């Protein structure tokens, strides 16, 4: 499960921690290091932290200072005193000290911690706000001159177009490659938003849902691909498929962000039939990028959706109820579809979401013009839930 905290939180933490470091006196000219991550385990005078570069053993000494950071006001300057006993698995740590040779252990000078309980409470509040005040869809047009973005908002029963206008001072972000973590997003701008990108925004929508005033916008470029499983390596967490579009092999890497679900057969048949008749968004091809509605800050079970007709919340909630499976539950010959970031690699990708049981949708897509051999990597098909990123 992703343990997201908001980008605002990360920025404040980063700013204040470097201010703290600047006030520290280096030991024999060695500049202190900073590692951040979630607590994987708690031991005797140590914590194992899962950082971006891998697990790091944080060692507690008699000189280690503990400070508790508020999830609501995440500024190190306002942190309060704490103790090692206040820290549990799942908490978020930012640690200063001098990394040992090899970078696998760190005697801690200071440990700033944010408890999982506090993070979850803040995430739940933010998730509710995004559900009430959020919109998500595929970018169909960007007008830099007028500052407006048109998005297609898709739901189980169809799609609507919404014109998004950024408010003064609106924040633009974009997802990092192979990531749907809001706290890993990077700064962006309106000119960087491209047609075909997937977009999620927070702000105020009009009563009829046709316009939206955005105060925060996050975008990303994603793709959806379908194929037949040829082999599975559970030890390496890899699935090899033969792409339906061109019969070429591709390796799917199942990572910590990957969600694997199986579409119930009866529901797949029913929704694919509705698409064929034009009721579930229609059989009209919508392109291979899909409608990636990556999870905004908050994580949590309640996903924000645009609300109203064509909202995405129904798709997210539906997917939550699907059975969870693992790569070992798949067998050679199974037909699957998956979503990933568009990183330019046509033979090996990290999957964000994998859906099995999708044969009815692919049969429908082939009957209406795609995906077919010779169309390249991206397939022209729509599978409810595949384009809704997040566990």
């Amino acid at each position: 499960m992703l343990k997201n905290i908001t980008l605002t939180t990360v920025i404040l933490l980063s700013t204040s921690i470097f201010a703290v470091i600047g006030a520290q006196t280096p030991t024999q000219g060695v500049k202190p290091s900073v590692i951040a991550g979630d607590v994987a385990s708690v031991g005797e005078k140590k914590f194992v932290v899962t950082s971006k570069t891998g697990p790091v053993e944080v060692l507690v000494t008699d000189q280690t200072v503990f400070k508790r950071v508020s999830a609501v006001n995440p500024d190190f300057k306002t942190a309060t005193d704490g103790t090692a006993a206040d820290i549990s698995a799942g908490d978020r740590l930012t640690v200063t000290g001098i990394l040992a040779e090899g970078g696998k252990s760190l005697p801690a000078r200071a440990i700033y911690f944010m408890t999982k309980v506090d993070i979850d409470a803040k995430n739940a509040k933010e998730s509710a706000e995004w559900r009430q005040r959020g919109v998500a869809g595929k970018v169909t047009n960007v007008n830099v001159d007028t500052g407006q973005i048109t998005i297609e908002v898709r739901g189980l029963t169809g799609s609507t177009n919404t014109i998004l206008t950024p408010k003064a001072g609106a924040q633009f972000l974009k997802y990092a490659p192979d990531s749907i973590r809001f706290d890993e997003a990077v700064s962006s701008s309106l000119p960087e938003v491209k047609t075909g990108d997937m977009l999620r925004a927070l702000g105020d929508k009009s009563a009829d849902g046709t316009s939206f005033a955005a105060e925060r916008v996050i975008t990303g470029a994603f793709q959806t691909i379908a194929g037949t499983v040829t082999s599975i390596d559970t030890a390496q967490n890899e699935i090899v498929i033969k792409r339906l579009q061109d019969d070429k092999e591709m390796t799917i890497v199942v990572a910590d962000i990957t969600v694997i679900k199986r579409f119930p057969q009866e529901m797949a048949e029913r929704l694919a039939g509705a698409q064929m008749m034009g009721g579930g968004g229609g059989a009209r091809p919508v392109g291979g990028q899909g409608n990636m509605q990556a999870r905004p800050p908050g994580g949590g079970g309640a996903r924000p959706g645009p609300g109203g007709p064509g909202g995405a919340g129904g798709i997210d909630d539906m997917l939550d109820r699907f059975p969870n499976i693992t790569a070992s539950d798949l067998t050679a010959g199974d037909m699957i579809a998956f979503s990933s970031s568009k990183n330019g690699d046509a033979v090996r990708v990290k999957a964000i979401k994998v859906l099995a049981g999708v044969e009815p949708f692919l049969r429908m897509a082939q009957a209406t013009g795609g995906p077919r051999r010779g169309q390249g990597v991206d397939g022209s098909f729509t599978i409810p839930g595949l384009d809704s990123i997040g566990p």
Side-chain angles (χ1 to χ4, degrees), residues 362-373:
L362 299 178
R363 288 198 304 267
M364 179 275 296
Q366 287 180 313
T368 56
R372 295 178 179 175
R373 291 179 179 83

Side-chain angles (χ1 to χ4, degrees), residues 200 291-294 303 312 315-316 319 353 385-390:
R200 188 179 283 277
N291 178 20
M292 302 300 179
Q293 291 161 9
R303 287 179 185 75
I315 295 177
D316 291 333
L319 195 73
K353 179 168 295 180
L386 179 63
D387 54 11
S388 177
I389 299 180

Side-chain angles (χ1 to χ4, degrees), residues 2 4 57 60 80 87 130 136-137 143 243 282 284-285 298 309 328 330 376:
L2 302 182
N4 288 351
E57 192 173 66
V60 177
T80 58
I87 299 175
W130 278 79
N143 191 325
R243 294 196 302 244
R284 175 177 57 84
S328 61
L330 301 173

Side-chain angles (χ1 to χ4, degrees), residues 47-71:
F47 306 96
V48 176
V49 174
T50 304
S51 71
K52 285 186 177 181
T53 58
V56 176
E57 192 173 66
V58 175
L59 306 177
V60 177
T61 71
D62 292 339
Q63 286 73 45
T64 301
V65 175
F66 291 86
K67 292 288 185 178
R68 180 168 182 163
V69 181
S70 167

Side-chain angles (χ1 to χ4, degrees), residues 293-368:
Q293 291 161 9
R295 184 178 296 190
R303 287 179 185 75
I315 295 177
D316 291 333
D317 294 338
M318 174 192 71
L319 195 73
D320 269 345
R321 296 189 290 269
F322 287 177
N324 289 307
I325 62 174
T326 65
S328 61
D329 294 315
L330 301 173
T331 58
D334 284 349
M335 189 169 287
I336 64 174
F338 71 93
S339 58
S340 71
S341 295
K342 299 189 75 173
N343 58 13
D345 191 338
V347 297
R348 182 182 177 85
V349 296
K350 181 187 294 184
I352 294 173
K353 179 168 295 180
V354 178
L355 281 184
V358 296
E359 291 87 344
F361 298 102
L362 299 178
R363 288 198 304 267
M364 179 275 296
Q366 287 180 313
T368 56

